[in-house]
């Protein structure tokens, strides 16, 4: 091991005050480490738009009082998955009291949640440095020894890169190359204010129950991706995520697609009379396991979105819970390395071992084929139309003699651009991927 001879300012410097960065800093500070958390925004959470669904079992292990202390919005008990067509929609509306006890998932607004997490970091003894942009990682040979922020150099035994999906720290260090376009997506999100009573009435909710709507099809005008709508206490988080490669190939404008989604006849009633509070765009990782490259080097580890840890199965979209799991694994490995006074790549490699032994790595492996499956263009138009036509043939009682469902389905398929071999192939691929 080749350690820097200069005395470090901190044992650990964490770059990025999102969920992954805050949880890593909190865990290490709880170990008694000297930790600096650097956040580019005016405060942790100030740059984060909207929110989403946080599958909360992992973070409850880190913060046992999370559900009562943290600024969570609603507890998700209703998951609504819809194939959306121009004039029809086919959906699964899944509600289950078992998702509420114990709580499985909550909606959060990141500006509130990240601020709360940073307070927990400070309570644990971490130092927060907001409003500071890290320009680069300091290196000596192949070892990261700190960070450069403007004219200031800060040194540490270990640097944790938690600076998001487009992590320039990981790229500069050579841990991340240029991602192919099909591994990236563009997300457009808004927060729409509505009275609490209106939200509960429109989504058939009571108390702090919440709903998560996942939509595919006409919401993205045939571009690979989907739409979402999540209930907060007195607002809705609504948006689309579309693959960058497909968006580019079809020469669509992402904001036009978003406006189309908001104005769709099956979506607009949920938003009626709402007031726009937030609006913005950002990059999203879509590559799954294939996007997770090297996450360890001498003196540095990479966590959360910066490590490519997001997972979209079409049914669930996960990033925040994976960020928590990676932070826990990283803090354990970094703590072990500091105890051994060995922060080489070989020593810090325990982080990768711990990550892939946890639910994070195991789930990334389980759904490794999901991104490729979701690139099938038929998913975003033809399947929704076929399902609607089958159901139309079933429910359209036009005084003509009825036919068995199988015959209705065969006639609908005969009129569809889809072929039986495609259904079989896609069905098998979906079974393997999901």
């Amino acid at each position: 091991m080749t350690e820097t001879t200069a005395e470090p300012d901190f044992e650990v410097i964490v770059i990025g005050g999102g969920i992954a960065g805050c949880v890593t800093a909190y865990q290490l500070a709880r170990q008694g480490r000297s930790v600096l958390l650097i956040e580019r925004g005016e405060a942790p959470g100030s740059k984060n738009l909207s929110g989403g669904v946080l599958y909360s079992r992992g973070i409850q292990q880190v913060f046992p009082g999370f559900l009562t202390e943290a600024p969570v919005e609603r507890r998700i008990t209703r998951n609504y998955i819809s194939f959306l067509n121009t004039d029809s929609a086919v959906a699964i509306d899944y509600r289950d009291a078992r998702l509420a006890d114990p709580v499985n998932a909550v909606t959060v607004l990141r500006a509130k949640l990240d601020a709360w997490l940073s307070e927990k970091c400070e309570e644990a003894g971490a130092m927060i440095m907001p409003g500071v942009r890290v320009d680069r990682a300091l290196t000596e040979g192949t070892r990261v020894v700190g960070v450069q922020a403007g004219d200031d150099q800060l040194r540490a035994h270990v640097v944790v890169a938690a600076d998001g999906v487009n992590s320039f720290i990981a790229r500069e260090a050579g841990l991340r190359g240029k991602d192919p376009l099909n591994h990236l997506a563009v997300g457009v999100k808004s927060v729409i204010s509505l009275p609490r009573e209106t939200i509960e009435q429109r989504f058939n909710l009571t108390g702090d129950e919440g709903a998560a709507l996942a939509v595919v099809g006409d919401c993205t005008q045939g571009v690979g991706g989907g739409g979402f709508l999540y209930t907060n206490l007195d607002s809705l988080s609504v948006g689309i995520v579309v693959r960058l490669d497909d968006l580019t190939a079809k020469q669509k404008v992402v904001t036009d697609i978003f406006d189309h989604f908001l104005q769709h006849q099956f979506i607009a009633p949920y938003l009626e009379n709402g007031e726009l509070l937030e609006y913005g765009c950002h990059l999203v990782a879509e590559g799954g396991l294939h996007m997770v490259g090297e996450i360890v080097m001498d003196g540095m580890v990479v966590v959360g979105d910066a490590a490519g840890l997001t997972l979209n199965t079409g049914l669930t979209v996960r990033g925040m819970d994976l960020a928590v799991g990676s932070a826990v694994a990283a803090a354990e490995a970094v703590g072990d390395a500091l105890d051994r006074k060995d922060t080489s790549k070989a020593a810090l490699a325990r982080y990768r071992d711990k990550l892939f032994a946890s639910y994070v790595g195991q789930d990334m492996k389980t759904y490794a084929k999901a991104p490729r499956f979701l690139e099938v263009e038929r998913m975003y138009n033809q399947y929704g139309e076929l399902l609607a036509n089958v159901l139309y043939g079933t429910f359209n009682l036009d005084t003509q003699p009825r036919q068995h469902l199988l015959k209705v389905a065969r006639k609908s398929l005969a009129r569809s651009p889809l072929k039986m071999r495609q259904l079989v192939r896609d069905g098998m691929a979906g079974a393997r991927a999901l």
Side-chain angles (χ1 to χ4, degrees):
M1 180 185 72
T2 305
E3 285 278 12
T4 178
T5 56
E7 185 67 23
D9 302 287
F10 299 90
E11 288 180 280
V12 183
I13 294 175
V14 181
I15 306 169
I19 292 177
C22 282
V23 174
T24 305
Y26 173 79
Q27 294 279 76
L28 286 165
R30 291 264 296 175
Q31 295 177 18
R33 313 294 179 184
S34 60
V35 180
L36 173 65
L37 175 62
I38 302 177
E39 166 55 35
R40 181 162 58 95
E42 295 180 2
S46 62
K47 298 190 290 84
N48 286 316
L49 172 72
S50 183
V53 174
L54 167 59
Y55 295 92
S56 57
R57 302 281 174 83
I59 202 167
Q60 288 177 61
Q61 294 177 356
V62 178
F63 303 101
F66 178 79
L67 293 175
T68 55
E69 297 174 16
V72 300
E73 296 290 311
R74 290 183 179 271
R75 308 180 186 210
I76 297 300
T77 57
R78 180 188 180 197
N79 290 274
Y80 186 92
I81 302 124
S82 175
F83 281 90
L84 194 65
N85 307 313
T86 304
D87 298 309
S88 62
V90 179
I92 297 173
D93 192 353
Y94 169 58
R95 304 187 66 155
D96 200 324
R98 292 174 296 180
L99 295 176
D101 187 16
V103 173
N104 174 67
V106 295
T107 49
V108 296
L109 293 169
R110 289 291 300 275
K112 296 179 182 180
L113 178 63
D114 292 7
W116 181 83
L117 288 171
S118 71
E119 290 175 3
K120 288 295 182 182
C121 290
E122 288 187 303
E123 290 174 7
M127 178 179 175
I128 312 293
M129 186 181 288
V132 174
R133 177 187 174 87
V134 174
D135 297 309
R136 64 182 181 89
L138 289 177
T139 57
E140 291 182 358
T142 61
R143 169 176 292 277
V144 174
V145 297
V147 299
Q148 178 87 38
D151 296 330
D152 296 324
Q153 293 187 349
L154 298 168
R155 291 179 171 264
H157 290 304
V158 179
V159 171
V160 179
D163 53 332
V165 62
N166 206 26
S167 174
F168 70 92
I169 293 294
R171 293 183 192 283
E172 185 187 59
L175 295 180
R176 288 278 298 275
K178 184 177 181 180
D179 295 307
L181 291 185
N182 66 324
H183 283 186
L184 295 171
V186 181
V188 185
K189 294 182 177 182
S190 286
V191 177
I192 308 294
S193 175
L194 281 170
R196 178 170 182 164
E197 297 77 12
T198 301
I199 292 172
E200 291 168 4
Q201 181 181 34
R202 289 181 183 176
F203 291 87
N204 192 21
L205 304 171
T206 59
D208 63 354
E209 288 181 335
L213 279 66
V215 188
V216 68
D218 189 51
C219 57
T220 58
Q221 297 182 307
V223 178
F228 61 85
L229 185 58
Y230 305 138
T231 57
N232 305 312
L233 283 174
D234 54 8
S235 66
L236 302 176
S237 294
V238 57
I240 60 165
V241 178
V242 292
R243 284 201 340 262
L244 197 52
D245 64 324
D246 209 21
L247 182 72
T248 303
K250 292 175 178 170
Q251 298 183 326
K252 296 278 190 177
V253 178
V254 69
T255 51
D256 291 345
I257 296 174
F258 180 58
D259 290 341
H260 170 78
F261 179 50
L262 298 186
Q263 295 163 11
H264 197 286
Q265 61 177 315
F266 294 110
I267 300 299
Y270 289 118
L271 311 175
E272 188 176 1
N273 297 324
E275 178 186 353
L276 178 65
L277 299 179
E278 296 180 14
Y279 179 93
C281 303
H282 66 107
L283 277 179
V284 179
E286 284 282 304
L289 181 63
H290 300 292
M291 199 168 177
V292 182
E294 290 293 330
I295 55 176
V296 174
M297 64 182 294
D298 291 338
M300 188 169 82
V301 300
V302 188
V303 296
D305 283 355
L309 294 170
T310 59
L311 191 55
N312 178 8
T313 68
L315 301 176
T316 59
V317 179
R318 298 167 55 190
M320 290 185 281
D321 68 311
L322 304 181
V324 172
S326 71
V328 170
E332 290 177 356
V334 169
D336 291 344
L338 290 171
D339 285 341
R340 292 180 170 84
K341 302 187 185 311
D342 180 0
T343 56
S344 65
K345 178 179 179 179
L348 291 173
R350 294 187 182 92
Y351 161 47
R352 190 180 185 91
D353 295 339
K354 291 176 182 291
L355 180 71
F356 279 92
S358 73
Y359 69 89
V360 177
Q362 292 300 306
D363 287 357
M364 295 294 286
K365 289 179 179 179
T366 296
Y367 298 111
K369 295 179 180 179
R372 184 65 180 270
F373 174 67
L374 294 176
E375 290 180 8
V376 177
E377 188 170 356
R378 296 181 289 275
M379 297 288 295
Y380 306 102
N381 41 52
Q382 297 169 6
Y383 276 109
E385 293 168 359
L386 175 62
L387 288 170
N389 287 337
V390 172
L391 292 175
Y392 179 74
T394 302
F395 287 97
N396 178 39
L397 302 180
D398 55 4
T399 74
Q400 297 298 312
R402 294 294 87 200
Q403 296 177 333
H404 286 296
L405 180 60
L406 182 58
K407 192 168 186 178
V408 173
R410 284 175 175 167
K411 285 187 174 182
S412 297
L413 179 59
R415 295 191 299 268
S416 169
L418 289 166
K419 304 301 179 186
M420 179 59 73
R421 66 178 181 274
Q422 293 174 324
L423 264 69
V424 173
R425 185 167 63 243
D426 292 344
M428 293 176 63
R432 289 191 294 267
L434 307 180

